[in-house]
Amino acid sequence: KSRAAVRELIWHILHTSDMTIALTPHVMENDNNDHEILRQYYEEFKQTGRVILLPDNLTAVQYKGYIARMRFFIGARTHATIAAYSSCVPTMVLGYSVKSKGIAIDIFGRERLVLGIADISDSSKLIGRFDEMLMDEAELVQTLRKSIPNIKRMSYKAVDYLKQLG
């Protein structure tokens, strides 16, 4: 059911904007391969000329480079969403984990654009949150530009604390 809802979200983005969708795999393991799932969406929408599928053999740095150049990011993998947040890319998180909720609270002071399992099966909720992200783009970028440097500073302090323990 969530795959159908994501399909409707892709259709919505293609029909209400001029954006290109870059399907971005993050985990490529046996029985847990993003590229295989994303290829199905790519095959369905490739005739639009506005859906691309990134290859499955890039390094983490290369994937982050692509993510950093995106206008928006919609992701279900924590490390990929962190790559987007840290690059100040407005991000919608699908199928949240406790970590995802906490990260959004650290950045925005609340669970912002984090959708649970039930939510990602509902195309109207996915589309509504995407439209919210689009409408609030400037505010989201401003909040990320303010929050991310502070979070990076805190992470460096954690390294210093760990060095003191060693």
Side-chain angles (χ1 to χ4, degrees):
K1 195 169 179 179
S2 62
R3 287 190 188 189
V6 169
R7 184 174 293 107
E8 288 186 43
L9 175 61
I10 292 170
W11 188 92
H12 173 76
I13 293 168
L14 292 172
H15 287 85
T16 62
S17 77
D18 61 355
M19 289 185 251
T20 297
I21 297 171
L23 300 169
T24 308
H26 187 71
V27 174
M28 279 75 63
E29 299 171 348
N30 290 338
D31 301 322
N32 190 17
N33 190 326
D34 296 346
H35 199 265
E36 290 174 5
I37 294 165
L38 295 175
R39 177 174 291 289
Q40 294 170 17
Y41 293 120
Y42 172 73
E43 292 298 331
E44 187 172 342
F45 292 101
K46 68 182 177 184
Q47 79 284 355
T48 67
R50 291 180 35 222
V51 176
I52 60 173
L53 175 61
L54 294 182
D56 62 356
N57 60 352
L58 302 179
T59 66
V61 170
Q62 289 170 318
Y63 284 118
K64 184 173 182 184
Y66 278 104
I67 291 169
R69 292 190 299 274
M70 294 178 185
R71 179 175 172 192
F72 298 105
F73 188 76
I74 301 169
R77 301 291 188 174
T78 302
H79 288 105
T81 59
I82 289 170
Y85 283 143
S86 68
S87 300
C88 298
V89 175
T91 301
M92 187 166 86
V93 182
L94 307 179
Y96 68 80
S97 65
V98 172
K99 290 183 287 187
S100 296
K101 290 167 71 173
I103 292 166
I105 291 168
D106 286 347
I107 294 170
F108 299 104
R110 63 187 171 106
E111 268 180 58
R112 184 79 196 265
L113 297 170
V114 178
L115 290 88
I117 297 299
D119 297 330
I120 65 171
S121 297
D122 182 336
S123 61
S124 64
K125 286 186 181 179
L126 278 181
I127 290 167
R129 290 295 182 89
F130 172 79
D131 289 344
E132 174 188 336
M133 186 169 60
L134 189 62
M135 187 173 59
D136 295 346
E137 179 180 8
E139 173 204 336
L140 292 165
V141 170
Q142 183 180 11
T143 300
L144 287 163
R145 286 184 178 154
K146 183 178 169 189
S147 295
I148 295 303
N150 292 332
I151 291 170
K152 285 181 180 178
R153 276 192 291 281
M154 288 190 310
S155 72
Y156 298 142
K157 283 184 183 177
V159 170
D160 292 339
Y161 293 141
L162 289 172
K163 283 182 182 175
Q164 291 173 6
L165 293 175

